[in-house]
């Protein structure tokens, strides 16, 4: 239910700056790793200097066994 409400908030014109980061964290907890990664990518387009977002994406890439992508992000 919380995920559904967050998605509705993200579809509004004046969405919250970190809504996609939060959605990503919710999806990760639900083991929806593909959705989580998609939300992180959206978050990083809005917040391209967010270290936490990049760390979360790198960690997610490790969990999905995309080692080279994770390594690129960690180096960044």
């Amino acid at each position: 239910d919380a995920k559904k409400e967050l998605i509705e908030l993200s579809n509004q014109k004046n969405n919250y700056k970190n809504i996609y980061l939060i959605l990503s964290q919710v999806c990760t907890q639900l083991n929806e790793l593909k959705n989580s990664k998609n939300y992180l990518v959206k978050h990083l387009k809005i917040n391209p200097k967010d270290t936490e977002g990049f760390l979360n994406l790198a960690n997610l890439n490790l969990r999905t066994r995309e080692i080279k992508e994770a390594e690129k992000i960690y180096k960044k």
Side-chain angles (χ1 to χ4, degrees):
D1 292 332
K3 180 182 167 191
K4 184 179 176 181
E5 288 182 38
L6 288 169
I7 291 170
E8 288 175 16
L9 283 174
S10 73
N11 291 329
Q12 295 175 3
K13 255 187 178 177
N14 295 323
N15 61 11
Y16 299 99
K17 184 177 179 182
N18 292 322
I19 194 79
Y20 292 121
L21 180 63
I22 296 166
L23 276 166
S24 172
Q25 293 168 341
V26 169
C27 288
T28 299
Q29 291 297 316
L30 296 172
N31 207 33
E32 297 175 4
L33 303 183
K34 184 178 179 181
N35 288 335
S36 179
K37 188 180 290 188
N38 290 336
Y39 286 125
L40 271 174
V41 170
K42 286 182 180 183
H43 170 75
L44 290 168
K45 284 181 183 177
I46 296 168
N47 304 290
K49 295 183 179 184
D50 181 29
T51 305
E52 180 182 359
F54 280 110
L55 286 173
N56 287 347
L57 184 57
N59 291 336
L60 201 54
N61 281 324
L62 284 178
R63 284 184 67 181
T64 58
R65 301 188 193 276
E66 296 175 63
I67 307 302
K68 291 190 186 250
E69 284 298 313
E71 186 178 358
K72 280 188 219 176
I73 295 168
Y74 283 131
K75 286 181 179 180
K76 192 176 189 179

